[in-house]
Amino acid sequence: MSTLSKGLKLQHGVSVGAIVTALLLPAAALAQAAPGSPAQPVGAPPVESQAADTAADATGQDIVVTGFRQSLQAALNVKKNSVAAVDSIVAEDIAKFPDQNLAESLQRIPGISIQRDAGEGRAITVRGLGAQFTRVRVNGMETVATSTDGASANRDRAFDFNVFASELFSSLVVHKTAEASLDEGSLGAVVDLNTGNPLGGKKAGFTGALSVQGSYNTLSKTTGPRVAGLLSWRNDAGTFGASVSGAYSKLDTLELGNNTTRWAQAQFDSVNGTPCYYNTSGTGAAQVFTTPAANSGGVYRSSAVCDKASLAFHPRIPRYGVIKHNRERLGLTGSVQFAPTEKTKISIDGLYSKFKETREEQWVEVLLRSNERSIDLVNPVYDANNNLISSTLNDAYNRNEHYLRKSSTEFYQIGGTWDQDVTDKLRFTLLGGVSKSDASIPVETTILFDNKAAQGYQYDYTNMRSPKLTFGGNVADPTSYQLSEIRDRPSDTVNKFRTAQLRGEWDVAEGFQIKAGGVYRKFSFDTAGFTRDTVVCGNGGKDLVLGTLNCSPTSAIAPGSVYGFPVTSALADIVSLGSAGQPAGTTTQFAIANIPAAAAYTNLYSRTPVVDPGNTRSVSEEVKGAYLEFDTKGELFGLRYAFNAGVRYAKTNQVSTGIINSATLTVKRDYDDWLPSLNVALYPTENIIVRGAVAKVMTRPTLGNLTPGGSADGNNFRITNGNPFLDPFRATAYDLAIEWYFAPQSIASVAVFKKSIDSFPVSNSVTQTLAEAGLTRDVLLPSSAGYIRNDPTQLYTVSNTINGTGASLKGIELSVQAPFKFLPGFLKNFGGIANATFIDSTASYGVVGPSTLVCATQFTCRLVAPAAVQRTSTLFGLSKKAFNGTLYYEDSKFSARGSISYRGPYVDQNSGTGNVFEGYNATTNIDASVRYRFTKWLELSIEGTNLTDTYRDRYTDLDANRNYENNHFGRTIIFGARMKL
C-alpha cells in the first residue's frame, strides 16, 4: 500500500469516553481520524512526534509531557495534516476542560461562539453564522438532536449540543471550508462528533476507567452526581474489539432575575390626574366631551401629559422571578469492530442519549401589555431614549404566574461502516445507518392568579438592568387574587435521518488520487402541538371551566368584580425571590398557584386538547447526491503543494405539510445544487502552511418557514402562512490562512474569510386571490364572509416569507498556542492558548419602528404603527468580536487550567411593538480546573464553570438597548476522582 493510501485510510473514531479515555490510551491513538475527519494530505510535511518532543526536553530538562499536551499535539496534527481548514479537540481537551456539554467544549475553537440556555451551552455559531447554518455528523452520519431546554423548544435545523455529555466523545472536528467529499448543507461548518474505536488501543484484553464526580451549584445550593465509565476489550491479534461507555449526570439549578418581555407604547387612562379618555355626545362639529371615561370606553383626548406618556416606551410586563431547572442526562455508546485482514474492517457503532428537563417559572408581575387603557399613571419619569423609566400605577393588572414544563429528548443512532481495500490502489467505504431524536413535552402548564385593580404599584428602571419593582398591596396573600386562566400546551417534535453512502478512493499515480461517491439521505421533521387553554370567565355569564361562577363583564375591574375562582391557601404556594440582583425595596415574596392542586380543582388535564395549527407541521427531504474530487500533490519551482478540487451534486425532493384553520395542506417541490470547491495548501517550509479555499455552499431553508400552514381570515381577507417554495441559502465562500508550527504543541495562525450570500428569507406581503395563493376556500371558516360569498376575484393580503436580497460576511481569526519552554525552572511547565475572531457583515431587514400619534381631530387621536422600512444590520446571531484564552500548568503530578471566553453583543432577531431588533449584550465566562494525580490509576480534580456568575443580559431595540431580561445562574463546582481500572 502506498504512503498516500496509508495516510488516507480512515480509522473509525477514537476510543470512547473522552473524560476517561485519556487515562487509558496514548495520544497517538487519540489522534486517529474518524469518518469525515481530515487525513494526511499528499505532500504534507512530516508531523513531529511527541516522542521527539519529550526527547528534546530530556537533555537536562525536567519538563514532563503528559496527557493534556499530548492531546494538544494530536489536535494540531489533525489541523496540519489537512488540506482544508479544520480545527479539532481530541480526548483530553474534552475530558479536562470543565465543560458541562459539547457546546462548551466547542467554544474553545477559534471562530466558535455559543449561546447559553439556563446556564449551559446549547447552540454554536461558527464564524458569525448561527446554529441553523451548521451541519453535525455523529460517526460520519448527519443528524439533528433537539431539546426543550431554556425558554423554548428547538423546532428547526439547529443542533442542540446540550443533549450530549462531553464524556461520550473522543474527538470533535470542525470543518470550516467545504470539500466535494464533505456533506453539503452548511454555510458555517460541518462538525464531526466521534465515538468508539476499540481497535485503536495498543493493549490487548480488557481495559476500563471510571470517573465519579459531584456538581454543586452556588445559587441553588444543590449537589448532583456526574458519573462516566468505559470498558473496552481487544483480542491479541488486534482483529476484533468491542467497547461500551456511559455517562450520567443530574443537577438542579436556579435562574434568578428580571424580565420585561419587551417595551411598548400605549395610551393610559390618566396621567398625573389628567384624564386621557372622555365620554362624548353628538358628532362632528356638534361633538361634546362630557365626563372622563374611567378604565374603559370613551375616546382619547390629546393633551401634553397624555401624549408624552403615549409616545414613550414602557415595560410591557415588568417582573422578577424564580426559574428552577432540573436536568438529568444519560448517554451510552457501544462499538464493535472486526478486521479479519489488513484490508478489511467492519465497524458497528451505537449511541443513545436521554436528556430530561423540568423547568418551573414563578413570576410576580404587572401586566401593562394591552391593559394600559385602565391604568392611571402617576409621577412618570422619562429618559433621553424616550423611555418611561419610572412611575406609580393605579388600577394596574397584577398577575402572579406559575409555569411548569416537563420535557424529554430521547436520541439514538445506529450505524455501520465497511472499509475495504480492493487493491493497494483502490479502496471503498460503505456507510449506512439511522438516527432519531424525539423531543417531547407532555406537560407545559401555566396557572394564573390575577388582581385587576392593584393600587400603588411602582416600577423604577433608572438602573435599566436592576429595576426596583414594588407592589402597594400584599402580593403574598392568596386571598387577594382570583384564579383567572389555565393553560396546558403539550407537544412533540421528531427528527429522523436515514443515510446510505458509498465513498471510493483510487490512487491513480504517485501524488494523484481520485475520490468519488454517492449518498442517499432521507430527513423527516414532524412537530405536533396541542392546547387546553381557556380563560375562566368570558365577557360575563357563567364561567367557562366549571360553570359555577357568575362572571362580571370584561370591562369591570373594580374590587368585587368576578373574573376567576376565589383563591384559598389550599390552591397557593408562597415564593421568596432570593438574590435576583434586585435593589432594596423590591417586593420579594408573593403567592403563586400550587399547580397540582389548581390543575385538579379546574380539571385541567381532563380537558380535551385541540390542535395548535401554528405548531403542527412537517417537512420531509429526500436527498440524492454524488461527488467527484481530485486530490494531488507536487512541487513547483521548489515549492511543495497539495490541493483537492471537485464538485458535489445534490438533488432535494421536499414535501411540506401545514394547517390553515382545519385544512391540511401539502406542497411538493424539488431543486438541484451543483457545489464546486477548491482547497489548496502550500508548504514554503517544513513548518509553515499557506491555505486557500473557494467553494459554493448551501444551507436548506429554515423548517419553520417551509410550512404551507398558517391562518386564514375570511372576514378581514388576510392570510398568513409559510412558504414551502423558499430557496436554500446559497453563498460563495472564500478562505485564506497562514499557519506557523514553530515548535511542538505550538502554532501561530491568521485566517481571513468571506462569504457572499446570494439570498436569505425576509418578510413579505402581497395581494392575491385564493387561487393565486395556491389555496381553496376550504382553508376559510365556513361562517366567514369569504367562504359564504365564494368570490374567486376576492383579493386577500397574503403575508409570508420570501427570498430576500443578499448579504455579506467577512472576518479574521487569530490564534496562538505554545508551552512556555523558554522560561526557567518550573515555569517551563506553563503554557497558553489564545484566539480572537473579528467579523463584520451587512444584511437588510424590514423593520417597523415606533408608532406616531395620529389625530383625526384635536380630540380623537390614536397610535399608528408606520410601514416597514429597510434597516441594515449584521446577520442575526453574529458577534463582531469573540475571544478565548487558556493558561495551563502541567507536570507529572499536578495540573491547573484557567479559561476565559468573551462573546461580543449581537442582534438575535427582529423585535416587535416598535422596537428595532433585539439581541444579547456581551458576556464573559471564566472557568478553571485543578487536578492532582496520586498514582497511575487515581486522579482527583476540582473544576469550576462561570466563576464570575455572569448575567445573561438580553435587550430589545438596538438603539435604545432596553432591558428585555437580566438573569444569572450561579457558579457550578465539579469535584471528584478519575480511576483507571
Side-chain angles (χ1 to χ4, degrees):
M1 184 181 296
S2 67
T3 302
L4 172 63
S5 301
K6 293 178 181 177
L8 290 175
K9 186 175 182 180
L10 303 178
Q11 300 293 320
H12 187 64
V14 187
S15 294
V16 293
I19 199 168
V20 291
T21 309
L23 301 174
L24 301 176
L25 303 176
L30 301 179
Q32 297 175 26
S37 301
Q40 175 80 12
V42 187
V47 177
E48 301 88 341
S49 70
Q50 191 65 46
D53 180 28
T54 305
D57 291 325
T59 57
Q61 307 297 329
D62 58 358
I63 293 179
V64 179
V65 180
T66 55
F68 178 59
R69 292 189 180 184
Q70 288 179 331
S71 70
L72 292 179
Q73 184 64 58
L76 284 185
N77 292 347
V78 172
K79 182 178 183 69
K80 188 174 183 179
N81 296 340
S82 172
V83 177
V86 303
D87 281 292
S88 67
I89 307 175
V90 178
E92 284 219 354
D93 290 272
I94 304 172
K96 291 192 173 180
F97 276 122
D99 300 327
Q100 300 175 91
N101 59 52
L102 287 177
E104 296 180 12
S105 298
L106 285 165
Q107 71 175 327
R108 317 292 177 188
I109 289 177
I112 294 184
S113 298
I114 68 173
Q115 185 165 352
R116 295 176 183 266
D117 256 338
E120 280 195 20
R122 179 176 180 181
I124 67 170
T125 294
V126 182
R127 290 182 167 180
L129 289 168
Q132 74 182 77
F133 297 105
T134 297
R135 298 281 69 79
V136 176
R137 305 190 300 186
V138 176
N139 293 331
M141 294 190 299
E142 183 180 352
T143 190
V144 172
T146 61
S147 73
T148 313
D149 200 5
S152 61
N154 177 2
R155 295 188 176 97
D156 216 323
R157 298 184 190 274
F159 189 98
D160 283 338
F161 289 91
N162 54 355
V163 170
F164 299 114
S166 298
E167 292 93 332
L168 294 177
F169 297 87
S170 53
S171 69
L172 315 179
V173 180
V174 180
H175 305 259
K176 295 180 178 177
T177 60
E179 299 176 83
S181 55
L182 191 64
D183 288 343
E184 84 290 340
S186 165
L187 262 64
V190 174
V191 178
D192 274 314
L193 312 178
N194 304 309
T195 63
N197 181 27
L199 291 183
K202 295 183 178 180
K203 181 180 177 182
F206 283 100
T207 56
L210 178 67
S211 169
V212 180
Q213 297 176 303
S215 295
Y216 174 78
N217 182 265
T218 59
L219 202 58
S220 66
K221 303 189 185 304
T222 59
T223 302
R226 182 174 174 135
V227 182
L230 163 72
L231 185 63
S232 182
W233 181 84
R234 200 203 73 180
N235 65 1
D236 292 335
T239 59
F240 181 81
S243 65
V244 293
S245 72
Y248 173 81
S249 65
K250 184 177 182 180
L251 184 62
D252 299 341
T253 61
L254 284 180
E255 177 181 345
L256 303 179
N258 68 83
N259 188 300
T260 64
T261 67
R262 295 194 302 271
W263 293 53
Q265 301 164 289
Q267 295 164 316
F268 291 89
D269 185 29
S270 69
V271 179
N272 268 347
T274 300
C276 301
Y277 284 85
Y278 283 82
N279 293 311
T280 64
S281 61
T283 59
Q287 187 177 34
V288 176
F289 284 85
T290 57
T291 58
N295 299 327
S296 64
V299 294
Y300 181 86
R301 180 174 180 175
S302 177
S303 67
V305 293
C306 290
D307 292 354
K308 186 171 185 178
S310 298
L311 293 170
F313 281 84
H314 60 268
R316 295 172 74 237
I317 311 178
R319 59 185 184 174
Y320 273 97
V322 176
I323 304 174
K324 300 177 181 179
H325 302 274
N326 310 108
R327 294 192 194 88
E328 187 174 11
R329 187 183 285 114
L330 171 67
L332 301 170
T333 73
S335 180
V336 176
Q337 291 185 320
F338 178 52
T341 71
E342 290 186 356
K343 294 184 177 182
T344 303
K345 183 169 71 172
I346 297 173
S347 304
I348 298 175
D349 297 288
L351 171 64
Y352 173 83
S353 177
K354 188 164 188 177
F355 175 63
K356 296 171 66 176
E357 195 236 16
T358 298
R359 178 186 177 96
E360 188 175 4
E361 301 180 14
Q362 302 164 333
W363 299 99
V364 57
E365 61 196 39
V366 161
L367 203 66
L368 280 84
R369 181 205 65 195
S370 304
N371 295 299
E372 293 90 349
R373 172 64 189 86
S374 67
I375 295 175
D376 297 313
L377 203 62
V378 182
N379 297 326
V381 177
Y382 306 90
D383 70 4
N385 288 318
N386 193 33
N387 297 319
L388 204 170
I389 58 171
S390 71
S391 182
T392 297
L393 308 181
N394 292 319
D395 286 350
Y397 196 137
N398 168 211
R399 166 168 284 180
N400 293 2
E401 180 175 341
H402 194 179
Y403 169 89
L404 175 66
R405 185 186 66 213
K406 297 181 180 180
S407 63
S408 175
T409 295
E410 193 167 22
F411 175 92
Y412 74 82
Q413 176 175 298
I414 184 73
T417 303
W418 173 19
D419 294 299
Q420 181 67 49
D421 290 357
V422 181
T423 69
D424 285 347
K425 295 182 178 295
L426 181 65
R427 71 200 63 85
F428 70 81
T429 296
L430 180 64
L431 178 150
V434 296
S435 68
K436 179 181 178 181
S437 173
D438 186 347
S440 64
I441 305 175
V443 175
E444 188 171 6
T445 298
T446 306
I447 306 289
L448 302 172
F449 285 177
D450 285 348
N451 173 6
K452 293 188 177 183
Q455 306 299 311
Y457 171 75
Q458 296 179 345
Y459 75 80
D460 186 351
Y461 280 82
T462 302
N463 181 341
M464 183 61 78
R465 264 59 206 178
S466 298
K468 179 181 177 181
L469 308 181
T470 305
F471 290 82
N474 183 6
V475 294
D477 178 10
T479 63
S480 62
Y481 291 95
Q482 299 181 39
L483 195 165
S484 63
E485 188 173 345
I486 55 175
R487 304 172 187 162
D488 187 47
R489 299 172 180 176
S491 64
D492 189 60
T493 300
V494 177
N495 292 281
K496 293 180 182 178
F497 271 94
R498 302 168 183 84
T499 301
Q501 187 174 120
L502 178 65
R503 302 193 298 261
E505 299 172 353
W506 176 29
D507 302 335
V508 179
E510 184 66 29
F512 179 50
Q513 184 184 72
I514 296 177
K515 296 180 180 179
V519 63
Y520 172 84
R521 186 168 56 246
K522 178 71 176 291
F523 167 65
S524 62
F525 160 83
D526 195 340
T527 185
F530 303 89
T531 70
R532 293 187 175 99
D533 298 9
T534 185
V535 293
V536 172
C537 286
N539 189 14
K542 291 292 185 180
D543 72 86
L544 305 177
V545 177
L546 301 179
T548 60
L549 294 177
N550 293 312
C551 298
S552 302
T554 303
S555 60
I557 64 168
S561 298
V562 177
Y563 42 85
F565 298 112
V567 175
T568 64
S569 58
L571 296 176
D573 292 325
I574 306 301
V575 175
S576 295
L577 181 60
S579 178
Q582 72 274 19
T586 296
T587 299
T588 58
Q589 276 201 329
F590 52 96
I592 60 165
N594 179 301
I595 285 184
Y601 178 77
T602 58
N603 299 320
L604 172 60
Y605 299 128
S606 298
R607 296 177 64 85
T608 302
V610 297
V611 173
D612 178 3
N615 285 314
T616 301
R617 59 184 188 275
S618 66
V619 175
S620 174
E621 291 170 344
E622 186 179 58
V623 177
K624 299 174 183 178
Y627 68 88
L628 179 64
E629 181 179 299
F630 301 94
D631 289 26
T632 188
K633 65 130 183 192
E635 189 172 303
L636 184 64
F637 304 114
L639 177 65
R640 285 180 301 153
Y641 68 86
F643 76 82
N644 63 58
V647 64
R648 188 176 188 91
Y649 169 76
K651 182 178 181 63
T652 304
N653 293 295
Q654 171 191 298
V655 180
S656 303
T657 301
I659 298 174
I660 294 184
N661 291 336
S662 59
T664 300
L665 304 177
T666 298
V667 176
K668 298 180 179 180
R669 67 170 298 204
D670 60 75
Y671 52 86
D672 301 84
D673 283 279
W674 293 89
L675 304 169
S677 61
L678 170 67
N679 290 272
V680 179
L682 305 176
Y683 306 95
T685 71
E686 290 293 315
N687 296 310
I688 293 178
I689 303 177
V690 179
R691 303 186 192 277
V694 60
K696 290 285 188 181
V697 291
M698 60 86 82
T699 289
R700 293 178 176 89
T702 301
L703 294 174
N705 288 339
L706 286 178
T707 177
S711 61
D713 183 345
N715 292 312
N716 295 301
F717 308 113
R718 291 184 177 274
I719 297 171
T720 302
N721 57 17
N723 182 357
F725 296 99
L726 284 176
D727 289 332
F729 298 82
R730 293 187 172 105
T732 304
Y734 308 90
D735 287 80
L736 180 64
I738 182 168
E739 301 162 3
W740 178 28
Y741 299 85
F742 55 88
Q745 306 145 40
S746 303
I747 185 175
S749 66
V750 178
V752 293
F753 52 89
K754 179 180 179 181
K755 297 184 190 294
S756 298
I757 302 173
D758 296 335
S759 67
F760 65 99
V762 295
S763 299
N764 179 65
S765 293
V766 296
T767 301
Q768 295 177 317
T769 64
L770 286 175
E772 290 170 338
L775 304 173
T776 68
R777 73 167 183 161
D778 291 334
V779 304
L780 305 176
L781 291 175
S783 60
S784 67
Y787 187 93
I788 295 170
R789 293 175 186 169
N790 193 23
D791 181 359
T793 65
Q794 175 65 53
L795 295 176
Y796 289 74
T797 300
V798 182
S799 299
N800 59 8
T801 303
I802 63 171
N803 294 301
T805 57
S808 66
L809 177 153
K810 58 185 177 182
I812 182 170
E813 286 177 6
L814 308 174
S815 180
V816 62
Q817 76 174 51
F820 299 162
K821 296 182 179 180
F822 55 87
L823 295 177
F826 77 95
L827 296 177
K828 290 184 177 181
N829 295 328
F830 281 95
I833 308 169
N835 60 73
T837 306
F838 303 92
I839 309 173
D840 196 12
S841 75
T842 57
S844 184
Y845 304 92
V847 299
V848 177
S851 297
T852 58
L853 202 61
V854 176
C855 301
T857 69
Q858 181 182 357
F859 305 108
T860 53
C861 302
R862 60 189 182 94
L863 287 169
V864 176
V869 297
Q870 294 298 302
R871 170 83 180 253
T872 298
S873 181
T874 61
L875 289 167
F876 290 160
L878 183 145
S879 293
K880 292 187 174 183
K881 298 178 182 178
F883 309 100
N884 285 290
T886 297
L887 178 67
Y888 66 86
Y889 174 92
E890 190 162 37
D891 61 29
S892 60
K893 294 285 187 180
F894 178 79
S895 65
R897 230 167 305 168
S899 300
I900 183 170
S901 298
Y902 168 85
R903 181 177 185 180
Y906 61 95
V907 173
D908 187 49
Q909 61 186 9
N910 267 325
S911 191
T913 60
N915 297 276
V916 178
F917 302 127
E918 58 190 48
Y920 294 84
N921 287 310
T923 57
T924 301
N925 289 88
I926 297 177
D927 308 324
S929 67
V930 176
R931 302 169 184 275
Y932 188 80
R933 184 181 294 273
F934 284 88
T935 68
K936 291 182 179 180
W937 57 269
L938 177 63
E939 178 184 76
L940 299 184
S941 65
I942 183 168
E943 307 166 355
T945 63
N946 192 26
L947 291 177
T948 57
D949 193 11
T950 298
Y951 276 64
R952 181 179 63 195
D953 180 1
R954 186 178 179 184
Y955 69 84
T956 185
D957 198 273
L958 180 62
D959 302 318
N961 204 270
R962 302 179 177 106
N963 176 327
Y964 193 116
E965 70 172 1
N966 194 37
N967 300 342
H968 73 132
F969 310 90
R971 304 164 180 84
T972 299
I973 309 300
I974 304 171
F975 53 91
R978 303 167 191 267
M979 295 159 282
K980 182 165 66 173
L981 307 178

